[in-house]
Amino acid sequence: MGIDMSDTSDRLLYAAINLIAEKGYKAVSTKEIAKEASVSEMTLFRHFGTKQGILEAAIDRFYYSTSMKELFEKNIVWDLEKDLFMISESYHKLMKKNQKVILIAFKEGNSIDGLYNQINKHPRQLKELLIYYFLEMQQQGKIKFDGNVESLAMTYLYMVYGEFVSRHFVEGHQITSIDSDEFIYSAVQLFVNALKKSD
């Protein structure tokens, strides 16, 4: 989802994300956000009501759930290896693109009422998409898994999320020299080998 800098709402959201990621939620005022977006503070209030309102709108606008939903609706080919590669690569691209929003979630999640609920809508929706995918693959006879499909979806989700976080938010403390592409390849192969039906 691109940013339209001619659109007032997008400019405000983009300014809010940049300033809050840099300075922290409490240190940034609505006046400062409005100035950065080249609009009046009244315009900000008219569009989003409050500083928390603009942050919540920015999370919904720039997080990944809408893009992932479209990907599942349009790009799934019902081939486990191809689908998991495509999902993994798309997830990492979206997370990298929206890194500032994720940084804010880490820094501010506990300090703003209701923010974690707003943030957690996105991984919850991805979990539901993965559950649907794995159940459908079971019904089509393309994978074999006897356990709880939610645990399968969460294993996959924690794997791709954990790799992203450790690579992008733990500076100087990386525990591997393996690059992201190699990790994704290995992880997908593990899933494919564990879930494929024996002939």
Side-chain angles (χ1 to χ4, degrees):
M1 198 177 286
I3 299 159
D4 179 1
M5 294 308 281
S6 67
D7 179 85
T8 301
S9 291
D10 271 13
R11 284 207 317 277
L12 282 162
L13 294 172
Y14 189 67
I17 288 298
N18 283 335
L19 288 168
I20 294 169
E22 181 188 344
K23 299 181 178 184
Y25 180 77
K26 288 182 181 171
V28 175
S29 68
T30 52
K31 188 174 283 189
E32 194 175 358
I33 294 167
K35 184 180 176 186
E36 182 74 13
S38 303
V39 300
S40 71
E41 192 176 17
M42 188 54 66
T43 299
L44 183 152
F45 292 138
R46 210 167 42 243
H47 280 260
F48 300 106
T50 63
K51 184 166 71 168
Q52 184 164 343
I54 195 170
L55 177 57
E56 289 176 355
I59 287 165
D60 275 350
R61 175 76 169 80
F62 296 122
Y63 227 111
Y64 61 74
S65 65
T66 301
S67 297
M68 291 303 287
K69 187 168 183 279
E70 287 173 6
L71 180 135
F72 272 80
E73 287 170 354
K74 296 176 182 175
N75 295 54
I76 293 293
V77 295
W78 306 108
D79 175 291
L80 187 64
E81 187 170 355
K82 288 177 183 172
D83 289 338
L84 289 184
F85 271 128
M86 183 266 300
I87 294 164
S88 300
E89 287 172 349
S90 299
Y91 177 87
H92 275 274
K93 280 179 193 166
L94 286 164
M95 291 287 276
K96 194 167 183 183
K97 180 180 166 191
N98 299 320
Q99 200 164 324
K100 286 183 180 177
V101 175
I102 295 150
L103 181 63
I104 292 167
F106 279 147
K107 284 184 174 178
E108 310 289 353
N110 285 321
S111 63
I112 304 168
D113 261 1
L115 188 63
Y116 262 136
N117 281 338
Q118 189 78 12
I119 292 161
N120 284 339
K121 288 193 308 189
H122 299 271
R124 279 194 198 105
Q125 185 178 64
L126 180 52
K127 180 193 76 171
E128 294 305 319
L129 291 167
L130 286 165
I131 288 171
Y132 167 78
Y133 174 76
F134 288 130
L135 283 171
E136 184 63 28
M137 288 292 279
Q138 270 185 327
Q139 287 177 3
Q140 291 185 23
K142 293 182 177 177
I143 64 170
K144 182 180 180 181
F145 184 72
D146 297 327
N148 183 332
V149 176
E150 182 176 358
S151 70
L152 180 61
M154 287 307 300
T155 300
Y156 175 83
L157 193 51
Y158 281 138
M159 179 185 69
V160 290
Y161 174 76
E163 195 274 344
F164 176 83
V165 168
S166 67
R167 200 174 292 278
H168 294 280
F169 293 120
V170 191
E171 285 183 34
H173 299 286
Q174 287 189 25
I175 57 173
T176 182
S177 59
I178 294 169
D179 71 20
S180 201
D181 290 340
E182 188 177 348
F183 169 80
I184 287 171
Y185 176 81
S186 298
V188 168
Q189 290 305 313
L190 278 170
F191 262 76
V192 170
N193 290 335
L195 295 174
K196 68 182 178 183
K197 304 231 350 146
S198 50
D199 297 328

